[in-house]
Amino acid sequence: MIDNSKRISKIGEKWFLSEPLLFSVYCTHEFKENSRLSIPFRTGQGRIEYNDSILNNLSDRDMEEFLKLEMVRILLKHPYQRLPSNAEGEVLTVASNVTVTDNYKIRIKTDRVEDFENLQHKLCFEEYYHQLLNWKNKADKDGKPEDESEEEKDDEPETQNEVDEDKNDEEQNIAGQDLSDEISKADENTEPAPLPDMGENEGGSEQTTEDEAESQSSGEGGQQVEDDSQKNELDGSVEEGEKGTDDSTQEGTDASGEEDLSAENMGTDSSDKRNNPFDSMDSEKKEELSELWEENQEVENSINECIQGAMERDLWGSVPGELQEILKASLHVELDYRQILHSFKTSITSSHRKLTRMKPSRRFGFEMMGSRYDLAANLLLAVDVSGSVSKEEVSYFYGIINKFFKYGIENLDVFQFDYALKSKRPVEMKKAKNQITIQGRGGTNFQPVADYYSSHPEYDGLIYFTDGYARLPVYKTKRLINVLWVYTSKAEYDVHKEYVEKLPRNRCTYIPMPE
C-alpha cells in the first residue's frame, strides 16, 4: 500500500534545497487526508487536504506539480484574501488557476488564459474573477432561449400591414416547400451531379456553371478523375486524423510537450474549452477546490513572513522575476484589524469545565453532577493614557473592543497607564469607559502591565493600545502568552511592527479612526 504522506514529505525534503520559498510555505500548512475529495488537493483554513486514492494514481512528478500549483496559490493568498460578495466557487477556482499559470510554469493540465476568448494576460486575481464571471454569465445566457415575454411581443403584429406581410410570407413558404418536395422527388430518379469545387468562389453561380461545363466536356473520364481526387483527399484526411489521434494520446504529454493529465484526476475535460469551459462535468470539482476559502489575516501574515524571508536572503528558487515583484507588492496590502481581533479572540478562547445538576454524570447517573464545557476567556487590556494618545482615540478603541469581545469573554479587565499604572488593580471594562483621564505628562512604560500579566496566569491574553513610543517589555514567565498590540494609526503601526513581531507570540495591528 502506498503511503502518500511519506511521498508528500519527500517532496518537502527535496524543496528544502531546491525550492526554499515553496518549502517555507509548505511548512506553514498542515496536511490532512480527506477521502471524500474528488480532486487531488485543496487548500484553505491553514491546511492542505488530499485524497489518497487519487494520489495513488499519480507519479511522484505529477504529485509535485499539483503541490506546486497549491504552493503558488497560497503565495498569491487566493485562499485567504477577502472574497467578493456572494462569490461563485467555480469562478474563483478558474480565476485562481488562470492567475497561477499566467505567472508560473505548471506542467499539468489546468485552466489557462488561452482557454478563454479575449482574455488578457498579466491581470490580477480580482480582475480575472470579474471578467470570467461576466464571461460565464454571457455564455449561460447565450445558451438559453430568449425571454418568453419578448417572444410573445414579437409574435403579435402591431399593424394590418404586418398581418398582410406575414400572410404573404406564409404563402411563399408553402409554395417554396411544395416546389422543394417536387424537386426532391425528381432527384430520387436521377443520378447526383458531381459536387462543385467551393474552395475559392464559395456559392458563386459563374464558377458553378464553368465546373458543370468542364465536367460535361470531360465525360466519364472527368468524373473518374474527380472521384479519385476526392477519394485521395478523404484517405489523406483519415490518415492525418489517425496520426493526430496517436500523437494526442501519447501517455503523459500534450501538444506542447507538457504533461497532460486525465480529466478524472484534474477535474477538467479534454474538449475545446473555448466553447464554454464552465459548461462541463468538472464544475462541482472546481467548486470543491475553493470550498475552504475564507479571509484569514493570521495565515496571510505567515505567508508574508515567507515572502519577506525570500526577499532578505534572495531565496526564490524557481519563482520567476515577474512573480517575485507581484509577491513583493502584496506585502504592502493594508491589514484588516477586524480579522486580527477575531483571530486573537479565537486563539485565547479556551474550554472551561463546569459542574451542573442539569446533566447527569455518565458514570454515576443523577447521583453525581455532570459537567458541561463553555467557551470563555479572561482578557486584560492595557490602555495608554499618556499625552500622545487622545481621549477620542481611547473611546473609539473601547467601542471596538466591546463589540468584538462582548461574547465568549468571561472577564474583561482594563489597566490605564502612562509611565506607571493608574490603579493598583485592573478595573472592569464598563467602569474604565467612564473613567478616561488623559494625564498629558508624557512618558510611557509598558513593563508594569507586562509584569502584572506575567504574574497572573488567570488571564488568557493581553492587548496593548498605544502609539508605541516606549521600550518593549520583557515577559517574566515561562507559560505561553498571547499579546496583541493595537496602534493608534497606520503610521505608528509601520514604525513598530518589525520590532513587535520579533517577540514570541506577539502580533500587531492598528485601528484607523473614522473620518
Side-chain angles (χ1 to χ4, degrees):
M1 183 176 179
I2 301 175
D3 189 344
N4 289 305
S5 62
K6 290 184 178 180
R7 297 175 66 197
I8 294 173
S9 298
K10 287 183 178 180
I11 293 175
E13 294 171 1
K14 174 184 175 182
W15 285 353
F16 177 75
L17 297 176
S18 62
E19 298 287 353
L21 179 55
L22 300 186
F23 175 75
S24 62
V25 175
Y26 168 96
C27 294
T28 61
H29 282 63
E30 176 189 3
F31 283 84
K32 185 176 182 180
E33 201 275 332
N34 186 346
S35 60
R36 296 189 299 273
L37 287 181
S38 58
I39 51 180
F41 294 97
R42 74 173 178 185
T43 303
Q45 299 178 4
R47 64 180 184 269
I48 299 175
E49 297 181 349
Y50 62 91
N51 184 304
D52 243 337
S53 60
I54 294 179
L55 295 189
N56 289 340
N57 297 322
L58 296 180
S59 66
D60 291 344
R61 181 175 178 274
D62 299 342
M63 185 188 295
E64 183 176 0
E65 289 299 313
F66 275 109
L67 273 177
K68 281 185 178 180
L69 177 62
E70 294 306 312
M71 294 303 107
V72 178
R73 198 193 310 278
I74 294 171
L75 277 171
L76 292 168
K77 308 183 185 76
H78 295 168
Y80 302 110
Q81 66 185 55
R82 182 180 299 178
L83 302 178
S85 177
N86 300 320
E88 292 195 19
E90 181 183 5
V91 184
L92 284 173
T93 296
V94 175
S96 177
N97 290 340
V98 167
T99 308
V100 172
T101 56
D102 200 36
N103 292 281
Y104 189 88
K105 187 175 182 179
I106 298 292
R107 295 183 177 87
I108 54 177
K109 186 171 183 177
T110 185
D111 304 291
R112 303 177 187 274
V113 173
E114 293 77 13
D115 297 334
F116 303 88
E117 295 179 357
N118 302 322
L119 193 62
Q120 300 177 7
H121 287 273
K122 303 305 177 185
L123 300 181
C124 67
F125 172 59
E126 293 82 0
E127 291 174 310
Y128 277 132
Y129 174 80
H130 290 295
Q131 289 198 18
L132 290 170
L133 182 62
N134 294 335
W135 199 97
K136 179 178 182 294
N137 292 337
K138 183 179 183 301
D140 292 343
K141 184 178 180 181
D142 292 344
K144 295 180 180 179
E146 296 181 0
D147 186 68
E148 294 181 358
S149 61
E150 294 183 359
E151 290 181 355
E152 294 175 357
K153 184 178 180 181
D154 292 339
D155 290 341
E156 296 178 359
E158 296 181 356
T159 63
Q160 186 62 34
N161 291 335
E162 292 183 359
V163 174
D164 295 338
E165 290 177 2
D166 292 341
K167 185 176 181 181
N168 292 335
D169 292 340
E170 184 177 355
E171 292 176 352
Q172 291 176 6
N173 290 335
I174 295 174
Q177 181 65 37
D178 294 340
L179 180 60
S180 176
D181 294 340
E182 293 178 2
I183 293 174
S184 299
K185 292 178 180 180
D187 289 343
E188 292 177 358
N189 300 323
T190 59
E191 295 182 0
L195 295 174
D197 185 5
M198 305 292 285
E200 296 180 1
N201 237 334
E202 204 169 307
S205 59
E206 295 181 1
Q207 182 68 26
T208 304
T209 304
E210 293 176 2
D211 291 340
E212 291 176 352
E214 183 179 354
S215 175
Q216 292 174 0
S217 64
S218 61
E220 294 180 359
Q223 180 65 42
Q224 184 66 34
V225 171
E226 184 174 4
D227 291 342
D228 292 340
S229 175
Q230 291 178 357
K231 183 178 180 181
N232 292 334
E233 290 177 0
L234 290 173
D235 292 342
S237 63
V238 171
E239 292 176 0
E240 184 178 355
E242 292 176 352
K243 181 179 180 181
T245 303
D246 292 339
D247 291 341
S248 63
T249 56
Q250 288 180 357
E251 185 176 359
T253 59
D254 59 10
S256 62
E258 296 182 348
E259 190 155 358
D260 186 8
L261 301 181
S262 66
E264 180 182 358
N265 289 338
M266 190 55 218
T268 58
D269 55 18
S270 57
S271 60
D272 182 11
K273 303 184 76 177
R274 284 180 176 272
N275 183 28
N276 187 355
F278 293 99
D279 186 17
S280 60
M281 297 297 292
D282 64 341
S283 60
E284 293 183 0
K285 295 182 179 180
K286 289 179 177 178
E287 289 183 358
E288 185 180 34
L289 191 143
S290 58
E291 191 174 359
L292 299 179
W293 293 9
E294 62 180 10
E295 188 178 2
N296 191 319
Q297 192 67 53
E298 186 174 6
V299 178
E300 279 199 45
N301 289 342
S302 300
I303 300 169
N304 287 338
E305 290 177 1
C306 297
I307 299 172
Q308 189 72 39
M311 289 174 54
E312 294 174 354
R313 295 183 290 274
D314 195 24
L315 298 174
W316 295 100
S318 62
V319 176
E322 290 187 2
L323 181 54
Q324 293 178 24
E325 296 303 319
I326 294 174
L327 297 178
K328 292 176 184 177
S330 70
L331 298 177
H332 304 294
V333 177
E334 293 189 5
L335 298 177
D336 186 351
Y337 72 89
R338 292 164 294 191
Q339 185 59 44
I340 295 291
L341 290 174
H342 177 76
S343 175
F344 181 76
K345 179 180 177 180
T346 302
S347 68
I348 67 172
T349 302
S350 59
S351 182
H352 291 180
R353 179 174 179 267
K354 291 184 177 180
L355 299 177
T356 175
R357 289 284 186 187
M358 302 300 293
K359 184 178 179 181
S361 170
R362 290 185 178 182
R363 179 177 297 181
F364 302 105
F366 283 98
E367 295 179 0
M368 300 291 293
M369 287 192 295
S371 60
R372 62 185 178 92
Y373 292 84
D374 295 331
L375 294 177
N378 296 314
L379 181 61
L380 180 63
L381 301 181
V383 180
D384 185 352
V385 292
S386 62
S388 55
V389 180
S390 68
K391 186 175 181 179
E392 291 75 16
E393 290 172 332
V394 174
S395 297
Y396 188 65
F397 168 75
Y398 280 146
I400 295 294
I401 294 299
N402 187 62
K403 176 182 177 181
F404 274 87
F405 296 90
K406 187 174 183 180
Y407 302 104
I409 301 297
E410 192 169 7
N411 293 299
L412 185 58
D413 297 332
V414 181
F415 263 130
Q416 295 184 359
F417 73 98
D418 47 18
Y419 61 91
L421 300 179
K422 296 303 175 184
S423 58
K424 293 182 179 180
R425 295 180 180 179
V427 298
E428 294 181 356
M429 177 70 167
K430 293 181 180 179
K431 187 175 181 181
K433 289 171 63 178
N434 299 323
Q435 295 180 351
I436 303 175
T437 303
I438 305 300
Q439 300 296 328
R441 298 177 183 176
T444 306
N445 187 1
F446 300 134
Q447 192 60 49
V449 177
D451 291 340
Y452 188 90
Y453 172 66
S454 298
S455 60
H456 288 76
E458 67 270 21
Y459 290 106
D460 301 290
L462 168 65
I463 297 180
Y464 279 101
F465 179 69
T466 178
D467 61 350
Y469 290 103
R471 184 187 298 274
L472 291 175
V474 176
Y475 304 98
K476 302 173 183 178
T477 179
K478 294 182 179 181
R479 66 184 174 93
L480 293 178
I481 62 173
N482 279 289
V483 181
L484 175 64
W485 297 76
V486 179
Y487 293 101
T488 55
S489 68
K490 185 179 185 302
E492 310 303 342
Y493 166 81
D494 291 338
V495 170
H496 300 101
K497 66 175 181 178
E498 180 180 355
Y499 306 101
V500 168
E501 290 177 350
K502 290 181 180 180
L503 297 176
R505 302 184 67 83
N506 279 244
R507 46 193 144 166
C508 59
T509 185
Y510 69 94
I511 298 180
M513 288 288 292
E515 298 181 356

